[in-house]
Amino acid sequence: QIIARMQKFAAQMLEAKNIELFFEADEKLKSLKVPLQYRSDLFMIFKEAINNLAKYSNATNAWIVLHKSNKSFFLEIKDDGVGFDKQQTANGNGLRNMRERAENLGGKLTILSEKDKGTKIILEFGTMWKVSFNKVVALCWIEIIKYKSVPKQVRDKLCKNV
């Protein structure tokens, strides 16, 4: 279960830095089946965000909220640390990798940070794959044929072997 794995990872990383963790996951997510391709990108985004929080934030508290709304999945990670200047860190590998992984998910990554006011990271992506992977591939092709609205990265990832 990816949610339990995320909670365990965050607890271990933040406890080592004396950062109090407040973790909240929507009950609807406990039954959510995430295909391997998505699970990997989701966890790597989460891991990078938590590593950065533990390493650079000097926070005393961290809040992690995961919830599902309609056909979207939301991950929010917030801290009360020192924040950072996004312009100075924009070219770092970690943030670039997070953005690329969010694109792979067909999602949107928002990073809000202000010096001495903490940081908030929000990841939002669709969950059309919640049925089963085989049905997702079929849905993917239907979406491509009828609506042509599937992001290229998602289409390539889901439909490459079809």
Side-chain angles (χ1 to χ4, degrees), residues 105-117:
L105 292 168
K108 177 182 174 188
L109 183 72
T110 305
I111 300 173
L112 307 169
S113 190
E114 229 179 293
K115 200 86 169 125
D116 299 319
K117 293 190 178 180

Side-chain angles (χ1 to χ4, degrees), residues 56-102:
Y56 304 115
S57 75
N58 292 322
T60 53
N61 298 290
W63 295 266
I64 299 172
V65 178
L66 298 116
H67 66 96
K68 185 176 177 297
S69 174
N70 295 327
K71 295 179 181 179
S72 292
F73 174 92
F74 295 88
L75 165 64
E76 182 178 309
I77 301 171
K78 183 172 89 168
D79 69 59
D80 61 359
V82 297
F84 65 94
D85 182 346
K86 290 189 292 185
Q87 298 304 320
Q88 290 181 350
T89 59
N91 295 325
N93 286 334
L95 295 179
R96 184 175 55 246
N97 289 340
M98 289 171 68
R99 282 183 175 44
E100 286 174 8
R101 290 179 187 282

